[in-house]
Amino acid sequence: METPPQQGVVKKKETRGRKPKPKDDKKEEHSKTKEGRKTQQYQQQQQQQQQQPSVDEKYTQWKSLVPVLYDWLANHNLVWPSLSCRWGPQLEQATYKNRQRLYLSEQTDGSVPNTLVIANCEVVKPRVAAAEHISQFNEEARSPFVKKFKTIIHPGEVNRIRELPQNSKIVATHTDSPDVLVWDVENQPNRHAVLGATNSRPDLILTGHQDNAEFALSMCPTEPYVLSGGKDKTVVLWSIEDHITSAATGGSIIKPNSKSGEANDKNADSPAVGPRGVYCGHEDTVEDVTFCPSSAQEFCSVGDDSCLILWDARVGSSPVVKVEKAHNADLHCVDWNPHDDNLILTGSADNSVRMFDRRNLTTNGVGSPIHKFEGHKAAVLCVQWSPDKSSVFGSSAEDGLLNIWDYEKVGKKIERSGKSISAPPGLFFQHAGHRDKVVDFHWNAYDPWTIVSVSDDCESTGGGGTLQIWRMSDLIYRPEEEVLAELEKFKSHVVACASKSEK
């Protein structure tokens, strides 16, 4: 049995490779008077006295509400922090639960190798888990619903995992290097992560970046194309079509020699694929990229230059549209609506999520979002549209929250018992089960409204990370009239049962 690392042993990495920008405070300092500094100190003291509840207090409060808010929740304690989690293919459907692959990374302190973990996950079906079951979990334990199936010894930390939509047995990973690594996870041998073990060998290496490419990674929904962005300020596009068979025949990567997959250095004998296109337009690190859901030739990118750029491979390597100031700070993430090609989400270090319509992205060169979603208290790290409802999306941040939004609710006042609720416009669910920054999450395409999320808990608990698989109660997102009718029916049933017991 693995023992959790002692506090302070786990290597602390800057949040997803992003360091705060140095500020030039000299002018500000000169202009401050002695009285001004005293006032500022007094204000800081007042703020400290009126502090929000501690992480543990907020977590305890959330935990008490779990049976009411959730249809199902599985909490899985990780020995090492994880920077990425993704759903893989569904393996089996049963009466009460479905079995599915789950991909996650393990970011170690060097005492054992970094790994890409392939797990089997049992996803409990809606309205199956009992309330007392989902409320009785132990933060220090591993969930019985998540079982490690295979380990790939990864050459370097796994910063990002993305699966090929046409065949999710094929995944790409980003590490702290210029290359993108592609893996056929089913055919890769299972390895034991022990000190001194040689790296697993990727099935393909995608070359083309001139500097490290650590986070920006996407795989195309319509063609076997891969997109990446990096510190070299470029967006790079590859086709891996010539290297995989059709998904109908299993979609295995074609290996050029029979020994491929054995333990070896990552560059030995792994076929390299050069870029199909290199796109220049950013002035700082590219932090995230995504394809247009309906076109392999159209994609967009965001970066530390505060820009959102739209590209079209058919018209050259220059930007089609460049939004100079999409946010007031670095942009960390972007996602394109799979139900509506016009809607694009961005998340930023300015703590906000913005929604853009690509038909009207700018006004006088400055970003002109349809709406700003402001409910986070720290940098937004991940945004993703729901596959289940076109107006719903999630956002996770360094504040430890995973917010679920519905832009159709913007402008509508929510009232309960005659009192209006002062939630940020559009916010209708807040997952507060993580005690530190939620670095990644992924909606499940097979089980509606089911999400896997992962947090890096080193700073708050001194531990590794937490993986949670959860689904909110359907009473929260279903049409109000439908829910009220069901509750009324339930109330009638309870009253009828009570009257029988009194007789």
Side-chain angles (χ1 to χ4, degrees):
M1 184 72 186
E2 292 171 284
T3 54
Q6 294 177 347
Q7 186 164 351
V9 173
V10 176
K11 179 174 57 175
K12 181 182 176 296
K13 181 175 178 172
E14 292 290 341
T15 302
R16 301 182 65 194
R18 303 184 180 96
K19 298 179 182 178
K21 294 284 173 72
K23 293 178 183 175
D24 186 6
D25 290 326
K26 288 179 184 175
K27 291 179 184 175
E28 193 181 338
E29 283 298 320
H30 284 303
S31 66
K32 281 183 181 176
T33 61
K34 194 174 181 182
E35 289 76 20
R37 282 195 292 272
K38 279 184 179 177
T39 304
Q40 189 181 37
Q41 286 170 357
Y42 174 76
Q43 287 172 341
Q44 286 173 346
Q45 286 170 356
Q46 289 293 101
Q47 284 173 351
Q48 286 169 3
Q49 287 169 7
Q50 298 170 359
Q51 270 182 343
Q52 295 291 320
S54 70
V55 171
D56 287 335
E57 285 170 338
K58 283 197 286 188
Y59 179 76
T60 303
Q61 184 183 17
W62 166 82
K63 199 173 170 182
S64 68
L65 294 171
V66 164
V68 179
L69 297 175
Y70 295 84
D71 178 73
W72 180 54
L73 186 138
N75 187 88
H76 189 69
N77 181 48
L78 299 169
V79 173
W80 302 108
S82 177
L83 292 181
S84 196
C85 59
R86 300 292 286 186
W87 291 108
Q90 194 173 66
L91 305 173
E92 185 186 341
Q93 289 187 327
T95 308
Y96 299 110
K97 51 194 175 187
N98 300 324
R99 207 155 56 89
Q100 190 170 350
R101 287 272 194 265
L102 189 64
Y103 307 133
L104 63 144
S105 64
E106 285 186 326
Q107 178 198 356
T108 71
D109 64 352
S111 61
V112 292
N114 291 287
T115 59
L116 170 62
V117 175
I118 295 93
N120 285 338
C121 177
E122 291 182 332
V123 182
V124 175
K125 289 191 174 181
R127 302 204 169 195
V128 168
E132 62 269 19
H133 166 74
I134 61 173
S135 66
Q136 291 171 359
F137 63 82
N138 177 4
E139 295 84 358
E140 306 303 321
R142 299 192 153 205
S143 170
F145 295 103
V146 180
K147 292 184 173 65
K148 191 179 283 191
F149 170 71
K150 184 184 286 188
T151 300
I152 293 170
I153 297 181
H154 198 271
E157 295 176 354
V158 186
N159 296 331
R160 182 67 60 89
I161 305 164
R162 288 291 179 265
E163 73 291 343
L164 187 65
Q166 302 93 52
N167 182 358
S168 52
K169 294 174 184 176
I170 296 170
V171 304
T173 56
H174 255 329
T175 185
D176 298 342
S177 87
D179 299 332
V180 177
L181 310 180
V182 180
W183 308 86
D184 179 352
V185 293
E186 294 301 315
N187 287 327
Q188 279 284 333
N190 188 21
R191 302 286 308 285
H192 294 290
V194 292
L195 190 62
T198 51
N199 294 327
S200 298
R201 186 162 61 222
D203 294 289
L204 288 177
I205 297 176
L206 309 185
T207 61
H209 279 294
Q210 303 305 309
D211 199 347
N212 285 1
E214 297 173 352
F215 293 101
L217 185 63
S218 180
M219 296 181 100
C220 179
T222 57
E223 301 284 342
Y225 288 0
V226 183
L227 196 63
S228 168
K231 289 186 175 178
D232 58 3
K233 308 172 190 176
T234 68
V235 174
V236 184
L237 175 70
W238 295 268
S239 169
I240 58 172
E241 195 164 10
D242 296 339
H243 297 267
I244 63 171
T245 60
S246 71
T249 59
S252 296
I253 292 201
I254 300 171
K255 298 177 177 64
N257 53 65
S258 59
K259 292 184 179 179
S260 181
E262 290 181 5
N264 210 323
D265 182 75
K266 81 167 185 180
N267 294 313
D269 301 327
S270 293
V273 179
R276 187 184 180 96
V278 178
Y279 303 87
C280 303
H282 281 284
E283 292 166 21
D284 206 335
T285 300
V286 180
E287 291 283 5
D288 201 10
V289 290
T290 188
F291 280 96
C292 174
S294 61
S295 169
Q297 308 298 329
E298 295 176 80
F299 39 91
C300 64
S301 57
V302 296
D304 288 346
D305 54 3
S306 302
C307 291
L308 162 67
I309 299 182
L310 269 63
W311 313 85
D312 190 330
R314 295 165 295 196
V315 298
S317 58
S318 298
V320 174
V321 182
K322 183 172 182 177
V323 183
E324 291 282 356
K325 200 175 182 185
H327 283 257
N328 301 320
D330 299 1
L331 272 74
H332 290 168
C333 46
V334 63
D335 197 31
W336 209 316
N337 192 321
H339 309 279
D340 184 345
D341 283 358
N342 292 315
L343 299 180
I344 296 170
L345 286 174
T346 56
S348 166
D350 67 7
N351 307 353
S352 77
V353 176
R354 297 187 179 185
M355 183 169 71
F356 291 89
D357 186 325
R358 71 162 166 174
R359 295 165 295 189
N360 183 28
L361 286 165
T362 60
T363 304
N364 299 323
V366 177
S368 181
I370 303 171
H371 191 75
K372 299 175 186 177
F373 298 90
E374 296 173 323
H376 286 291
K377 294 182 173 63
V380 178
L381 299 177
C382 185
V383 289
Q384 196 196 0
W385 290 101
S386 164
D388 306 307
K389 190 181 177 190
S390 60
S391 59
V392 170
F393 63 89
S395 64
S396 68
E398 290 183 8
D399 59 8
L401 297 172
L402 202 168
N403 288 339
I404 306 297
W405 310 80
D406 186 344
Y407 72 76
E408 286 184 349
K409 295 184 187 295
V410 172
K412 295 179 183 175
K413 278 197 171 182
I414 305 169
E415 293 200 5
R416 294 286 181 271
S417 308
K419 296 179 181 177
S420 62
I421 296 171
S422 60
L427 179 65
F428 76 96
F429 189 83
Q430 201 165 60
H431 178 63
H434 292 284
R435 285 169 290 174
D436 212 324
K437 48 187 175 285
V438 184
V439 290
D440 201 12
F441 72 94
H442 192 203
W443 295 87
N444 193 329
Y446 296 96
D447 278 280
W449 293 89
T450 305
I451 291 175
V452 59
S453 52
V454 71
S455 58
D456 176 348
D457 301 341
C458 292
E459 286 183 22
S460 62
T461 66
T466 302
L467 178 93
Q468 290 183 339
I469 302 158
W470 54 275
R471 181 172 52 239
M472 71 179 82
S473 166
D474 62 6
L475 299 175
I476 293 169
Y477 60 80
R478 279 167 49 206
E480 190 172 353
E481 307 75 36
E482 204 178 288
V483 170
L484 290 173
E486 182 175 327
L487 292 175
E488 193 60 41
K489 189 177 174 183
F490 180 68
K491 180 183 170 186
S492 305
H493 175 70
V494 171
V495 170
C497 290
S499 61
K500 279 181 188 174
S501 62
E502 286 170 6
K503 288 178 183 177

